[in-house]
């Protein structure tokens, strides 16, 4: 199927402290896991072109390289874990 048409938004819940700073960080491996669990999409962490780990709550757009010529954008929503 054509993944570019899919809604590639994943949500990751993280513990966070003051000023929305995460305890820990979100790296490619966690985003890949979220894509697998929430979108049934198998990707490797290295296919997610994340410049540096996410360290604050919020919404992020992370490029995902599906093939050498094909990139799509994954929207990563980092929420505060209850």
């Amino acid at each position: 199927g054509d993944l570019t048409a899919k809604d590639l938004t994943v949500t990751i819940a993280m513990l966070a402290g003051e000023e929305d700073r995460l305890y820990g960080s979100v790296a490619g491996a966690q985003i890949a896991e979220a894509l697998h669990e929430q979108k049934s999409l198998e990707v490797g962490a290295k296919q997610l072109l994340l410049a540096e780990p996410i360290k604050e709550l919020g919404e992020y757009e992370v490029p995902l390289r599906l093939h050498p010529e094909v990139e799509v954008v994954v929207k990563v929503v980092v929420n505060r874990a209850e």
Side-chain angles (χ1 to χ4, degrees), residues 6 8 11 13 16 43 51 56-57 68:
K6 253 191 191 174
L8 286 179
T11 305
V43 299
E56 291 183 9
L57 298 173

Side-chain angles (χ1 to χ4, degrees), residues 4 6 11 13 18 21 24 34 36 41 50 52 65 67 69:
T4 50
K6 253 191 191 174
T11 305
E18 291 175 22
R21 289 182 194 276
H36 173 64
L41 189 60
L50 188 62
E52 55 188 24
R65 182 166 286 158
H67 305 289
E69 310 83 40

Side-chain angles (χ1 to χ4, degrees), residues 60-72:
Y60 300 86
E61 292 192 344
V62 180
L64 167 62
R65 182 166 286 158
L66 290 173
H67 305 289
E69 310 83 40
V70 182
E71 270 184 30
V72 295

Side-chain angles (χ1 to χ4, degrees), residues 6-23:
K6 253 191 191 174
D7 176 22
L8 286 179
T9 299
V10 295
T11 305
I12 298 176
M14 292 287 290
L15 292 173
E18 291 175 22
E19 296 175 5
D20 294 345
R21 289 182 194 276
L22 302 184
Y23 294 123

Side-chain angles (χ1 to χ4, degrees), residues 41-54:
L41 189 60
E42 291 288 345
V43 299
K46 288 185 168 54
Q47 289 173 266
L48 288 148
L49 307 180
L50 188 62
E52 55 188 24
I54 295 169

